[in-house]
């Protein structure tokens, strides 16, 4: 077994650890996570190693991106297993601040982004979400000053928002998107999949199957409106409560009227019971 990575929990110890990491002109990749790590997160770590000589993984369940009615309190926390996975993956440093380190008393700032953050997708159903994400990611970038940062395409709108923010604020970090890692039956891996009952888990791959079918039909030239309406019906029939199933421009996230309007991304969000799942696919 390789040696476990160093774990730091305070800003002074992070600063010292980053100085040591950066010795001999190492390049640094940051992989921000909320823990409860699975193979999707590990794919980010593996990509990180290809882009930088040192890899820092942050584990922080960020309260400001959860609404009061959401699952901050019950979000899975699996520290021991996470550390074992990061040891196996030979990560160099784990940044695991507490809430009061990230948000000390008197904390009163927030990064607000427009453009992709106002595309009418996640922002429509979780209006608090991107303000929380951009603020914590902005802080993580300021704290770690990485050369590159890896984000999953699983959270496609988030990837676009963070990419925009890093460019707009001249943060000097290159944001790299990593393809979605799926279970064998197509369900996108997610820390929240543990919430699913056996029956819900059996129904959950409907989202991916429906998107795949819709993408195939669109490539064959079927009418966009009809394809999306059929997909929404299939998802509803499988017992989901649909938030959205949309075809958007893959880069700008702007609505499109036909597949000729640009590279197309299909994006879906739906609740099964009380668990909200999101997924997306390129056409
Ligand atoms: P989270 O811990 O859920 O906040 O996710 C941390 C990072 O892992 C984000 O950049 C996610 O997009 C990414 N991620 C989560 N699940 C997957 C997956 N199945 N495939 C690829 N990336 C993922």
């Amino acid at each position: 077994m390789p040696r476990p990575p160093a774990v730091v929990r305070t800003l002074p110890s992070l600063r010292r650890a980053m100085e040591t990491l950066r010795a001999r002109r190492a390049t640094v990749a940051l992989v921000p996570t909320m823990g409860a790590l699975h193979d999707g997160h590990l794919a980010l770590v593996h990509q990180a190693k290809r882009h930088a000589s040192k890899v820092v993984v942050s584990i922080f369940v960020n309260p400001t991106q959860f609404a009061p009615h959401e699952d901050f309190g019950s979000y899975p926390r699996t520290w021991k297993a996470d550390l074992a996975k990061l040891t196996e993956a030979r990560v160099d440093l784990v940044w695991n601040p507490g809430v009061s380190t990230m948000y000390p008393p008197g904390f009163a700032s927030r990064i607000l982004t427009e453009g992709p953050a106002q595309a009418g997708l996640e922002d429509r159903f979780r209006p608090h979400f991107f303000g929380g994400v951009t603020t914590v990611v902005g802080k993580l970038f300021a704290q770690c000053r990485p050369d590159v940062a890896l984000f999953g395409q699983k959270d496609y709108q988030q990837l676009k928002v963070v990419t925009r923010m890093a460019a707009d604020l001249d943060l000097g970090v290159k944001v790299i998107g990593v393809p979605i890692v799926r279970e064998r039956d197509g369900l996108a891996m997610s820390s929240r999949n543990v919430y699913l009952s056996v029956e819900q888990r059996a129904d959950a791959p409907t989202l991916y199957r429906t998107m795949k079918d819709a993408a195939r039909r669109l490539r064959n030239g079927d009418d966009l409106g009809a394809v999306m309406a059929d997909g929404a019906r299939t998802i509803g029939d499988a017992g989901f409560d649909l938030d959205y199933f949309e075809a958007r421009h893959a880069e700008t996230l702007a609505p499109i009227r036909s597949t000729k309007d640009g590279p197309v991304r299909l994006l879906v969000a739906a609740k099964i019971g009380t668990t909200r799942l999101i997924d997306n696919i390129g056409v």
Side-chain angles (χ1 to χ4, degrees):
M1 189 78 168
R3 265 207 358 222
V7 177
V8 290
R9 298 202 162 89
T10 66
L11 285 164
S13 50
L14 175 69
R15 210 159 293 135
R16 277 195 300 273
M18 292 306 301
E19 268 164 28
T20 310
L21 272 194
R22 285 219 177 265
R24 282 172 307 208
R25 300 198 188 179
T27 50
V28 173
L30 174 67
V31 179
T33 81
M34 298 204 299
L37 302 180
H38 51 64
D39 285 353
H41 298 112
L42 296 179
L44 304 192
V45 171
H46 293 309
Q47 275 301 316
K49 287 176 168 263
R50 299 180 53 176
H51 287 91
S53 50
K54 301 289 178 187
V55 178
V56 180
V57 173
S58 62
I59 297 185
F60 179 63
V61 185
N62 176 33
T64 65
Q65 69 191 67
F66 291 78
H69 65 277
E70 293 181 345
D71 56 342
F72 175 71
S74 56
Y75 194 83
R77 288 162 171 89
T78 57
W79 173 256
K80 264 188 149 169
D82 291 353
L83 197 62
K85 287 174 187 170
L86 297 179
T87 302
E88 188 68 39
R90 296 174 192 271
V91 160
D92 297 283
L93 181 67
V94 178
W95 171 221
N96 178 224
V99 171
S100 61
T101 296
M102 289 301 255
Y103 302 112
F107 185 90
S109 302
R110 196 143 64 107
I111 299 175
L112 286 184
T113 51
E114 299 177 350
Q118 297 181 337
L121 297 163
E122 286 302 286
D123 50 301
R124 215 167 102 215
F125 295 90
R126 304 184 71 197
H128 56 283
F129 179 67
F130 286 119
V133 167
T134 49
T135 303
V136 81
V137 170
K139 283 173 67 74
L140 291 168
F141 285 178
Q143 293 161 347
C144 301
R145 301 182 175 277
D147 300 284
V148 298
L150 291 289
F151 288 82
Q153 290 181 347
K154 157 87 190 335
D155 301 273
Y156 195 79
Q157 188 180 6
Q158 170 178 284
L159 170 63
K160 298 296 170 195
V161 169
V162 169
T163 303
R164 184 78 258 160
M165 175 187 75
D168 289 352
L169 301 183
D170 304 316
L171 298 181
V173 49
K174 183 172 180 212
V175 175
I176 296 169
V178 178
I180 301 174
V181 177
R182 300 180 177 281
E183 303 286 357
R184 290 167 76 103
D185 59 9
L187 175 64
M189 288 192 183
S190 164
S191 305
R192 290 189 166 99
N193 289 349
V194 297
Y195 297 153
L196 300 172
S197 69
V198 173
E199 294 77 20
Q200 290 167 342
R201 176 64 189 82
D203 291 334
T206 300
L207 291 184
Y208 178 60
R209 265 187 241 126
T210 306
M211 285 194 305
K212 229 169 58 167
D213 186 53
R216 182 185 51 76
R217 286 181 61 191
L218 290 173
R219 282 194 299 270
N220 289 341
D222 282 12
D223 175 70
L224 180 71
V227 168
M228 299 310 287
D230 288 348
R233 199 171 322 111
T234 305
I235 291 166
D237 289 348
F240 284 88
D241 185 2
L242 186 64
D243 280 353
Y244 59 81
F245 176 45
E246 298 233 8
R248 294 295 183 98
H249 189 286
E251 292 310 317
T252 64
L253 299 183
I256 53 153
R257 281 206 231 115
S258 113
T259 48
K260 294 190 191 80
D261 288 348
V264 179
R265 198 88 189 177
L266 304 181
L267 303 105
V268 67
K271 281 204 269 316
I272 186 160
T274 53
T275 304
R276 188 169 182 279
L277 301 177
I278 61 172
D279 201 349
N280 64 86
I281 188 176
V283 172

